[in-house]
């Protein structure tokens, strides 16, 4: 259903903001919110809202709003909870504080009805639920409410599932899907068949989707006319608007009057459709039956406001799953547990999909569909500390509110786990509005998002198409334009897709029969051009730390004394010694303990937990709960108990920013274990592309958390300005990838001996490109060399701008060199 009954009353201009980004790449941070000014730093009672800076003569702030709507609206929060802007001759107050928006929609709803922008839609929508106010709105809502009662949801959910299954069944392996277009058609069909028990012709469906943009553009332009009479002039935009209204009415007439039953009468009484509910009702104000105009008005509202927002959210959700395969894996695992394949979902089953619901909530938060909505103060009102004169137009942006870093920490990161502890509160999360105009179809919308996501992911694995990511375009909604995916069957061998082009290069220097994980005549990887900085610690200190770590692991119950000799043969402390040459004392002990704990955890997935998602989650979920701060008292599990201690030691005296980043990246690392188990359980490892394998390996090898510990060893955070650099994000990704690929070269035979499907880039290259082992190894070595060369250039670039951060930049290089020095000699791999 609709994410707010005012969905079509948004307005802005296309402004592409979001660009392609590698999974896990942070987006730019939203501006911090400042408190409004006063005589002493806070606004006095009944203050006049401040005027935003940057108004241009004649245009005011219109140019900034049109150029970058979300960026401009998001920037206003630093000036106050309510801020005045000028759009040509008009002054509009923008409400930037979530609590004040909530008050506007609830306490002041009667005094602040919908604004002038919404009034232009009366031509299309009439005086139904979307446009009505006061008692008329309450009466109409009571009439429509039975159509969205809890007793109807089971039937709706079954239809949603059937519609999605039918549409997904028409797709073909290898097909490149225009996601936004397909989700638009899917959402329209769900509304048509669920609420109207009807089927639209293909021509009517296409006509509907073509008409919506003209309807919205006309609404926007007409709302800006200096006189309403201009809407009647024969201007092209007016003609297209009028034609769009006629098309929408024809489509709605087909659904309302040309019903085709879903089939078996057992599917539901046709009397339960929305038109039947409306025609059986009486107008509470007059006591007379509703007119056909009333029926059409409500029907067109459901069509217009109930398709675009849901389809846009589904598109963004698929885009985020492409960027976060560990999230997709957790969703699939939850579906396996609570909604087995072939099961028709019910409202009760959907209620058990708590993580899937959190994913949908986070997609709605990060990509809140409403660019902005408006109200008009009919009488003077006080909104918080601000005085709002009668006649003032009030504007608010749900997208900006949901990206407020004060209410939603790290707002531009996709983090479903933030909703598993209740989210940020109802006043900070308003996708369905609030108060008397809150969306009547909220439960319908959540069910639709969950059912459609489950049905699509069960059947298909979307694979990113290079050069076709989603980009953010602000229009009626904050749309996802341009997203295309290639479809791979979720469980069929035909779904294998190659995500990296090219052939494996030959390696004439290496005999084909030479072991690739124990090179002799040629080093597997050339030494770095930059000389390695020698350790600053005495050898005896590393030996003492090694002995202390062995006692710690046994005392913690992670190992028995009998297991200790084999474990010590891995020489893990030497890896720390190479990678962190300046770590001393407690920092050295912490690094060795963390690496040892992670290695023991990793080895536990060589057994059945590596193939059984439920067992993997049973191990990982308590560890993630420690990061979230939601873990219960420490129990008997040695891994969890040791992790409690290690997390405390890592974060003791750490800054909030470091702690949040470390928690986020440890969580991404830990989530890869269940993700890999899901792939093994489903037999999908052989069909993984190179990019997807690298995403899992990059995070699963815990390189990002160990880069964070560079700051712990240094005793201070790297400058915030450095962390804000996109170049640093590239350097960190290169560091993680280079170390991971080096590990893959040397761990290849060990992983093959384990018997379980291995996530190894050498094996992936062999499968995808049909080349020999030697050539696949050569391709990986070449990629490591390329990453090292590019990393050196990135470090030089960053060093010019941040010379004080040389210790951090050197640390990323030493980490890769340390991994190479250790993997080439450790008995873990030889």
């Amino acid at each position: 259903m609709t994410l707010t009954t005012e969905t079509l009353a948004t307005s802005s201009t296309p402004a592409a903001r979001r660009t392609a980004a590698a999974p896990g790449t942070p987006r730019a941070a939203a501006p911090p919110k400042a408190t409004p000014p006063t005589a002493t730093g806070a606004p006095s009672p009944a203050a006049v809202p401040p005027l935003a800076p940057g108004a241009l003569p004649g245009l005011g702030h219109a140019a900034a709003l049109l150029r970058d709507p979300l960026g401009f609206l998001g920037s206003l929060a630093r000036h106050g909870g309510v801020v005045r802007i000028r759009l040509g001759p008009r002054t509009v107050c923008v409400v930037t504080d979530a609590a004040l928006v909530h008050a506007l929609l609830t306490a002041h709803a009667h005094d602040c009805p919908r604004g002038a922008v919404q009034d232009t839609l009366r031509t299309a929508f009439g005086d139904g639920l979307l446009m009505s106010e006061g008692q008329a709105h309450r009466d109409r809502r009571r009439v429509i409410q039975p159509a969205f009662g809890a007793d109807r949801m089971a039937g709706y959910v079954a239809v949603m599932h059937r519609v999605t299954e039918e549409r997904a069944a028409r797709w073909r392996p290898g097909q490149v899907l225009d996601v936004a277009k397909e989700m638009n058609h899917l959402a329209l069909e769900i509304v048509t068949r669920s609420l109207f028990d009807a089927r639209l012709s293909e021509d009517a469906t296409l006509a509907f989707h073509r008409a919506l943009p003209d309807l919205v553009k006309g609404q926007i332009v007409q709302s800006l006319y200096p006189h309403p009479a201009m809407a009647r002039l024969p201007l092209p935009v007016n003609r297209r608007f009028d034609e769009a209204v006629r098309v929408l009415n024809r489509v709605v007439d087909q659904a309302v009057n040309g019903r085709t039953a879903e089939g078996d009468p057992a599917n539901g009484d046709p009397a339960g459709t929305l038109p039947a509910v409306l025609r059986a009702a009486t107008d509470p104000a007059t006591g007379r039956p509703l007119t056909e105009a009333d029926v059409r008005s409500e029907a067109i509202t459901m069509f217009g406001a109930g398709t675009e927002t849901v389809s846009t959210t589904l598109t963004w959700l698929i885009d985020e799953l492409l960027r976060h395969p560990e999230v997709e894996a957790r969703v699939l695992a939850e579906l396996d547990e609570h909604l087995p394949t072939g099961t028709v979902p019910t409202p009760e089953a959907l209620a058990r999909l708590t993580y899937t619901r959190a994913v949908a909530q986070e997609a709605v938060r990060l990509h809140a569909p409403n660019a902005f909505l408006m109200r008009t103060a009919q009488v003077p009102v006080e909104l918080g500390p601000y005085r709002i004169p009668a006649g003032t137009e009030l504007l608010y942006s749900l997208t900006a509110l949901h990206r407020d870093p004060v209410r939603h920490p790290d707002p531009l990161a996709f983090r479903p786990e933030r909703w598993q502890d209740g989210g940020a509160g109802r006043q900070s999360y308003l996708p369905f509005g609030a108060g008397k105009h809150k969306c009547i179809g909220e439960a319908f919308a959540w069910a639709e998002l969950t059912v459609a996501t489950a049905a699509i992911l069960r059947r298909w694995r979307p694979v990113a198409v290079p050069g076709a990511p989603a980009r953010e375009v602000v229009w009626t909604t904050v749309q996802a334009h341009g997203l295309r995916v290639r479809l791979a069957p979720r469980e069929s061998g035909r779904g294998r897709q190659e995500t990296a082009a090219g052939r494996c290069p030959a390696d004439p220097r290496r005999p084909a029969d030479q072991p690739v994980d124990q090179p002799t005549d040629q080093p597997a990887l050339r030494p770095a051009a930059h000389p390695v900085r020698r350790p600053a610690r005495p050898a005896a200190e590393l030996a003492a730390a090694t002995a202390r770590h062995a006692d710690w692991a046994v005392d913690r119950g992670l190992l028995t004394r009998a297991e200790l000799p084999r474990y010590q043969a891995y020489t893990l402390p030497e890896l720390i010694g190479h990678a962190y040459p300046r770590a001393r004392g407690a920092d050295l002990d912490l690094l060795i303990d963390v690496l040892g704990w992670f290695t023991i955890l990793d080895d536990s997935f060589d057994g059945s937990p590596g193939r059984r998602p439920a067992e993997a989650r049973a191990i990982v979920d308590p560890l993630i709960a420690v990061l979230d701060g939601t873990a219960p008292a420490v129990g008997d599990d040695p891994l969890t108990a040791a992790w409690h201690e290690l997390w405390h030691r890592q974060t003791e005296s750490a800054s909030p920013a470091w702690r949040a980043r470390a928690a986020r990246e440890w969580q991404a690392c830990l989530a890869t274990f269940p993700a890999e188990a899901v792939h093994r359980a489903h037999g999908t490892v052989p069909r993984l592309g190179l990019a997807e394998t690298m995403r899992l390996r990059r995070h699963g090898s815990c390189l990002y958390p160990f880069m964070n510990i560079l700051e712990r060893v240094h005793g201070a955070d790297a400058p915030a300005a450095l962390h804000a650099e996109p170049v640093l994000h590239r350097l960190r990704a290169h560091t993680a990838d280079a170390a991971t690929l080096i590990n893959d070269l040397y761990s290849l035979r060990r992983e093959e001996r384990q018997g379980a499907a291995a996530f190894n880039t050498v094996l992936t290259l062999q499968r995808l490109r049909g080349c020999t082992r030697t050539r696949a190894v050569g391709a990986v070595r070449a990629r490591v060399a390329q990453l090292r060369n590019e990393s050196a250039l990135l470090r030089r670039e960053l060093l010019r701008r941040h010379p004080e951060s040389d210790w951090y930049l050197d640390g990323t290089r030493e980490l890769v060199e340390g991994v190479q020095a250790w993997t080439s000699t450790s008995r873990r791999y030889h």
Side-chain angles (χ1 to χ4, degrees), residues 152-175:
R152 302 287 175 87
M153 286 308 299
Y156 290 154
V157 166
V159 175
M160 293 170 187
H161 176 72
R162 185 157 57 251
V163 170
T164 310
E165 286 284 344
E166 289 173 4
R167 188 154 200 95
R170 295 199 290 269
W171 302 339
R172 293 291 176 262
Q175 177 182 349

Side-chain angles (χ1 to χ4, degrees), residues 223-303:
S223 69
L224 298 176
Y225 285 155
H227 193 280
M230 291 187 65
R232 296 191 292 272
L233 296 177
L235 302 175
V237 66
N238 293 341
R239 290 200 301 270
R240 288 193 293 269
F241 177 81
D242 293 341
E243 177 58 25
V245 172
R246 286 191 288 271
V247 168
L248 261 63
N249 275 284
R250 286 199 298 269
V251 171
V252 169
D253 284 344
Q254 184 181 129
V256 171
N257 300 316
R259 185 183 65 80
T260 302
E262 275 285 327
D264 193 323
N267 287 333
D269 183 359
T273 64
L274 179 63
V277 169
L278 294 171
R279 286 169 175 148
T282 57
D283 188 332
T286 64
R288 293 193 294 269
L290 299 184
T291 66
E292 283 303 303
D294 293 328
V295 174
R296 179 185 291 110
S297 175
E298 302 306 343
I300 202 170
T301 295
M302 299 305 160
F303 270 90

Side-chain angles (χ1 to χ4, degrees), residues 154-229:
Y156 290 154
V157 166
V159 175
M160 293 170 187
H161 176 72
R162 185 157 57 251
V163 170
T164 310
E165 286 284 344
E166 289 173 4
R167 188 154 200 95
R170 295 199 290 269
W171 302 339
R172 293 291 176 262
Q175 177 182 349
V176 174
L177 204 68
D178 183 331
V179 179
K181 179 180 177 181
E182 282 296 316
M183 295 305 103
N184 266 312
H185 284 267
L186 174 62
L188 178 61
E189 192 171 359
I190 286 175
V191 168
T192 305
R193 290 171 62 177
S194 298
L195 296 180
F196 297 87
D197 195 23
R199 293 177 186 265
L200 294 177
S201 66
E202 188 65 20
D203 288 344
T205 300
L206 293 174
F208 177 86
H209 290 301
R210 283 196 296 263
L212 271 181
D214 288 334
L215 180 77
V216 176
K217 292 174 188 177
Q219 168 230 340
I220 295 168
V221 173
Q222 290 182 14
S223 69
L224 298 176
Y225 285 155
H227 193 280

Side-chain angles (χ1 to χ4, degrees), residues 549-618:
H549 170 69
D551 291 338
W552 177 85
V554 172
D555 292 344
R556 275 295 185 181
L558 299 173
L559 296 168
T560 65
R561 286 291 175 185
E563 294 169 328
L564 199 55
R566 181 175 182 272
Y567 171 78
Q568 288 179 310
Y570 292 169
T571 62
L572 293 172
E574 291 186 11
L575 170 54
I576 298 301
H578 288 300
Y580 299 88
R582 282 166 298 285
R584 307 289 297 272
D587 291 331
L588 179 63
D589 290 342
L590 172 65
L591 283 160
I592 293 173
D593 288 349
V594 171
L595 178 61
W597 173 88
F598 182 79
T599 302
I600 293 167
L601 172 71
D602 185 58
D603 285 352
S604 71
F605 287 92
D606 292 345
S608 64
R611 301 182 297 274
R612 297 176 180 175
E615 291 184 25
R617 290 196 305 275

Side-chain angles (χ1 to χ4, degrees), residues 617-695:
R617 290 196 305 275
I619 295 174
V620 167
D621 286 350
L623 306 176
I624 292 177
V626 173
L627 302 171
D628 294 340
T630 59
V634 179
D636 298 330
D637 175 52
L639 277 170
T640 305
W643 182 235
H644 264 281
E645 176 200 320
L646 292 174
W647 182 239
H648 174 73
R649 287 165 61 188
Q650 288 178 74
T651 57
E652 188 176 19
S653 303
S655 70
W658 187 94
R659 182 187 180 102
R661 184 170 66 252
R664 185 168 63 252
E665 291 174 353
W666 269 117
Q667 185 165 21
C669 169
L670 295 171
T672 60
F673 289 109
E676 291 180 357
V678 168
H679 280 300
R680 292 191 184 102
H682 287 248
T684 53
V685 178
R687 298 195 297 276
L688 288 181
L690 183 60
E692 193 165 349
T693 300
M694 278 304 303
R695 281 196 292 268

